[in-house]
Every structure is written in C-alpha cells, then in structure tokens.
Amino acid sequence: MAKLNLFERRRRRVRTALKARAGGRPRLSVHRSGRHIYAQIIDDAAGKTLASASTLTKGSKGPGANVDAAAKVGAELAAAAKKAGVTTVVFD
C-alpha cells in the first residue's frame, strides 16, 4: 500500500468519523476558493451528488467569494436539496 500524504490521511480520518456519526444522512461539502464558492450535498452510500450550487452557476453575477455570494449559493443549494428530497445533512 502506498504511503498517503498528510491531506489524504486527514481526509480519510475526518470522513470515517463523519460517516460513523452521520446516521445515513447525506454530507454537505463546501469549498471556498479566492474567487468562487462551491457547495455539494453528497450521498456517500450511493456515491452520488444529490444537489449542488456555486457562484459559477447560471444567473450568478461574476466571481465573488463574499458574504452576499455565500448567501446566494446557500439559497440555491437549499432549493436544490428540497427538490431532491433532502431535509437534513451532516456538515463536512
């Protein structure tokens, strides 16, 4: 087995603990770069993304990783989650 780098070790450790406490709920993963915000709701059991939103989606006004952009991404993600039938998530 190849030696894992520190990022991979931390990722496996955190996600393993998260899955143990999740109780079957999907995982909310958020990534913020310098220019954009991305959010996904992921079903680890099925290995599929149930809903996603970002500042890159159609209708967003240019790049931005500020509070206003985060609020819009959150609202879009909530609407997509309701459409997919997701009511509770575990924050990753």
Side-chain angles (χ1 to χ4, degrees):
M1 179 184 237
K3 186 174 179 180
L4 299 174
N5 62 26
L6 292 175
F7 173 76
E8 288 295 325
R9 288 174 57 195
R10 182 177 68 239
R11 187 170 111 183
R12 284 189 182 186
R13 182 177 64 240
V14 168
R15 294 219 175 129
T16 301
L18 185 71
K19 289 175 189 177
R21 292 187 310 248
R25 292 178 289 178
R27 173 169 55 97
L28 170 62
S29 177
V30 178
H31 174 73
R32 179 181 174 267
S33 71
R35 299 191 71 178
H36 296 286
I37 299 172
Y38 311 87
Q40 293 180 326
I41 297 177
I42 305 162
D43 182 7
D44 286 318
K48 293 192 174 190
T49 299
L50 303 175
S52 66
S54 73
T55 54
L56 293 174
T57 56
K58 194 173 185 179
S60 64
K61 289 188 173 186
N66 56 19
V67 176
D68 295 333
K72 289 177 184 175
V73 168
E76 288 176 19
L77 185 65
K82 281 186 181 181
K83 190 175 183 181
V86 176
T87 56
T88 58
V89 296
V90 175
F91 187 74
D92 182 6

